[in-house]
Amino acid sequence: MIRSTLGNSEMRVSTGFATSSETRMFTVVIESFGVGPRRRAARTLTVPFQQLQSLMQTVAQKGGRIKVISAGDGASAPQVSSPSTEGGAIAEPAPTPAPQPPVSKAAVSHADVPVNLYKPKDPFIGTVISNDNLLAEGAIGRVNHITFSLKGGNLHYVEGQSIGIIPDGTDASGKPHKLRLYSIASTRHGDDCNDSTVSLCVRQLQYEKDGETINGVCSTFLCDIHREAQVKITGPVGKEMLLPADEDANIIMLATGTGIAPMRAYLRRMFEPEERAKNPEYQFRGKAWLFMGVPTTPNLLYEADFQSYLSAYPDNFRYTKAISREQKNPSGGRMYIQDRVLEHADEIFALIEDPKTHVYMCGLKGMEPGIDEAMTAAAAAKGLVWSELRPSLKKQERWHVETY
Ligand code: NAP
């Protein structure tokens, strides 16, 4: 596999998207901030977008309250909302009615999605076809791409689903191990497009306990597995992360680490030449925007594939990276995908206003509050209330979250 050695976070900007206005100014009216008499008076500050989040954090930490955020230098921009900050966190903004986008149901027929074809009592026995390291030299940890043959059974699935793996052996009480769920990283056709394989993207879980390194049972079982090994597989399960059938949909993907698994399947379905040839009914024409968070450049996953999609579909695919231990956010901390979301808030919200846009989030559970904070600030700057908009997007089946 050829890996990119480019260190840039943003490899390129597709001509299909407007460029972000990172220098755009925001006017923020703050109360109860500062010392002495200044604390009582409302203060108006004008900051570039990149500093908006750190300003909100500082205000919250110092017990201040943000009364208004408006786009522009305050001279011409209308004041659009009144979010407040309390207790160190960005609190819910005042209940200003948010414009509701027109309701559009995702064009996915849930009834057609296979579930629980194989249960733990009678699992499918899959044979390992390959088990490959996905990381470049110098990466942290161990992440493998593992492919199983599904021949001889009826296990089939669609993009965005998960399968269960029951590792060999027994637990501490001598009972067979319970199944662990993994997001499927291949399309319904499998990596060889022969409709008879399924692939996973697995990080070996490792943690320290009482000075000892503990290896995750199932992730170690999978990362160590050899070709031809027989593995108990259950499922498929899950309808949360299904891709809309609409070829003109816009798909925003927020992934941390191995949370890239379903996104890799979506992107293959959209852009992989063999997949496109196999799916005349799905010739993706929308915009796909992947935000990917990894600790270091060698930890990037499926990089060569994504680079080839960028070359082949510059107007349809955009790829933004947050490399946490190499890049800094505007406050000087680790660069996380929520920082990238804030940076590109204008464009993300412009896309979200389009009823054809879906957002998918997968990976660490810890990224959820960060994304919510970023969306709250970004929405407020556009006069929208995220705490109202998010349930509305969810109801329209346009906001998809699977984290653990
Ligand atoms: P990882 O490589 O350890 O981390 C990915 C990136 O996320 C790193 O850059 C990390 O930064 C960053 N990060 C840490 N805390 C964050 C936060 N609060 N907000 C945003 N970014 C944060 O990832 P991994 O080990 O592959 O873990 C992926 C996680 O996804 C696992 O917990 C796995 O169980 C889960 N997962 C879920 C699904 C699913 O729900 N379907 C599928 C696959 C994986 P630093 O480490 O530098 O701080």
Side-chain angles (χ1 to χ4, degrees), residues 28-33 41-43 45 55 59 64-67:
V28 185
V29 181
I30 305 164
E31 286 180 338
S32 311
F33 185 62
R43 293 171 63 194
L45 302 177
L55 173 67
V59 170
R65 207 167 74 82
I66 292 182
K67 216 177 150 212

Side-chain angles (χ1 to χ4, degrees), residues 107-123:
V108 173
S109 169
H110 284 202
D112 296 340
V113 174
V115 282
N116 289 322
L117 300 173
Y118 287 87
K119 303 209 169 107
K121 282 203 172 127
D122 190 14

Side-chain angles (χ1 to χ4, degrees), residues 18-320:
T19 52
S20 93
S21 49
E22 281 156 24
T23 50
R24 192 170 161 193
M25 302 304 283
F26 283 79
T27 298
V28 185
V29 181
I30 305 164
E31 286 180 338
S32 311
F33 185 62
V35 286
R38 294 187 73 187
R39 191 168 177 83
R40 283 194 293 276
R43 293 171 63 194
T44 303
L45 302 177
T46 302
V47 291
F49 185 75
Q50 280 172 317
Q51 285 172 22
L52 189 60
Q53 191 189 22
S54 58
L55 173 67
M56 291 179 82
Q57 278 165 355
T58 308
V59 170
Q61 277 156 8
K62 297 195 171 167
R65 207 167 74 82
I66 292 182
K67 216 177 150 212
V68 173
I69 300 178
S70 55
D73 59 10
S76 54
Q79 296 192 337
V80 285
S81 81
S82 305
S84 66
T85 56
E86 278 160 18
I90 297 172
E92 300 300 338
T96 316
Q100 299 293 311
V103 173
S104 101
K105 277 272 172 196
V108 173
S109 169
H110 284 202
D112 296 340
V113 174
V115 282
N116 289 322
L117 300 173
Y118 287 87
K119 303 209 169 107
K121 282 203 172 127
D122 190 14
F124 175 76
I125 307 298
T127 305
V128 176
I129 297 176
S130 61
N131 180 4
D132 297 316
N133 166 39
L134 278 176
L135 302 179
E137 212 180 314
I140 299 165
R142 194 171 169 211
V143 181
N144 286 13
H145 183 81
I146 305 157
T147 301
F148 304 91
S149 166
L150 299 178
K151 284 195 178 129
N154 178 37
L155 200 137
H156 55 278
Y157 58 91
V158 296
E159 301 75 22
Q161 290 196 284
S162 299
I163 51 169
I165 300 288
I166 304 172
D168 289 351
T170 52
D171 63 19
S173 53
K175 292 195 179 123
H177 285 299
K178 293 203 164 58
L179 71 85
R180 269 74 160 179
L181 286 178
Y182 290 90
S183 297
I184 296 172
S186 47
T187 70
R188 65 190 72 183
H189 300 303
D191 288 350
D192 60 3
C193 276
N194 279 334
D195 302 299
S196 61
T197 68
V198 64
S199 300
L200 301 178
C201 173
V202 180
R203 165 183 283 282
Q204 183 186 22
L205 178 67
Q206 283 196 312
Y207 55 94
E208 299 293 319
K209 197 178 166 196
D210 305 327
E212 216 189 308
T213 302
I214 310 287
N215 293 326
V217 171
C218 195
S219 61
T220 303
F221 167 76
L222 287 173
C223 286
D224 285 347
I225 209 153
H226 294 291
R227 285 186 61 192
E228 304 298 331
Q230 308 265 289
V231 177
K232 299 180 204 74
I233 303 177
T234 67
V237 294
K239 294 187 176 185
E240 169 65 23
M241 298 288 284
L242 304 178
L243 199 58
D246 184 358
E247 300 155 289
D248 293 307
N250 302 310
I251 308 294
I252 298 176
M253 293 158 275
L254 311 171
T256 48
T258 51
I260 194 68
M263 286 48 167
R264 188 247 181 190
Y266 306 154
L267 291 167
R268 278 181 72 82
R269 183 160 170 82
M270 291 168 186
F271 302 125
E272 192 63 35
E274 257 186 290
E275 282 283 337
R276 284 181 78 95
K278 189 120 184 168
N279 302 307
E281 80 295 353
Y282 188 76
Q283 299 294 299
F284 183 73
R285 292 181 295 265
K287 307 230 178 280
W289 191 355
L290 171 65
F291 289 82
M292 173 67 181
V294 289
T296 70
T297 300
N299 280 85
L300 286 167
L301 302 168
Y302 306 107
E303 181 66 7
D305 294 343
F306 299 161
Q307 291 302 327
S308 79
Y309 304 153
L310 278 174
S311 305
Y313 294 93
D315 294 338
N316 303 91
F317 181 39
R318 186 168 175 183
Y319 181 22
T320 301

